[in-house]
Amino acid sequence: MAFAEKYRDDIHVVMLDRGDGPALVELFVSHFRVPDNVVVLFDEKNRWSPPYGVTGQPETFFITANGKVVRHVVGPLTASQMVSYAKAAGMKVHERWRAS
């Protein structure tokens, strides 16, 4: 959440729910204080996950502005990993970043 807030003007963060439903997702968004710039999508019919090879959660994709997936990570990420992978995808990130 800190990463999404810090780079809110430079990087688009999208969360995809594959079946938890709106009520549970609303609790998650509230509990973890998901920034208002994060887009939350519902994939009730599981249309988005198969083309990207999603197998579980959490999974993170770094996608260039032209739609190329440059990194697919299964499992949680550290702040430094997120910055490194975002750079590799050509996203604007500051050299030194710390979670606040």
Side-chain angles (χ1 to χ4, degrees), residues 14 28 37 44 48 52 61-62 64-65 90 93:
V14 177
F28 177 90
N37 63 307
E44 296 176 54
W48 289 95
Y52 285 94
F61 294 84
F62 292 87
T64 64
V93 292

Side-chain angles (χ1 to χ4, degrees), residues 18 52-61 72-77:
R18 297 188 312 147
Y52 285 94
V54 173
T55 59
Q57 56 194 42
E59 291 189 46
T60 305
F61 294 84
H72 173 196
V73 181
V74 177
L77 293 172

Side-chain angles (χ1 to χ4, degrees), residues 45-93:
K45 295 184 180 177
N46 202 33
R47 292 182 184 167
W48 289 95
S49 299
Y52 285 94
V54 173
T55 59
Q57 56 194 42
E59 291 189 46
T60 305
F61 294 84
F62 292 87
I63 305 171
T64 64
N66 65 358
K68 179 181 178 193
V69 175
V70 294
R71 177 78 60 170
H72 173 196
V73 181
V74 177
L77 293 172
T78 65
S80 63
Q81 287 173 311
M82 291 180 76
V83 169
S84 176
Y85 298 152
K87 280 184 186 179
M91 299 171 187
K92 293 188 218 175
V93 292

Side-chain angles (χ1 to χ4, degrees), residues 17-50:
D17 174 67
R18 297 188 312 147
D20 294 320
L24 189 57
V25 172
E26 285 178 25
L27 284 172
F28 177 90
V29 166
S30 175
H31 180 76
F32 289 101
R33 297 187 177 117
V34 174
D36 61 357
N37 63 307
V38 173
V39 175
V40 180
L41 300 175
F42 293 93
D43 187 16
E44 296 176 54
K45 295 184 180 177
N46 202 33
R47 292 182 184 167
W48 289 95
S49 299

Side-chain angles (χ1 to χ4, degrees), residues 3-13 37 92 94:
F3 182 87
E5 183 62 39
K6 175 134 182 115
Y7 296 107
R8 71 180 302 123
D9 296 327
D10 301 312
I11 297 175
H12 298 284
V13 175
N37 63 307
K92 293 188 218 175
H94 310 289

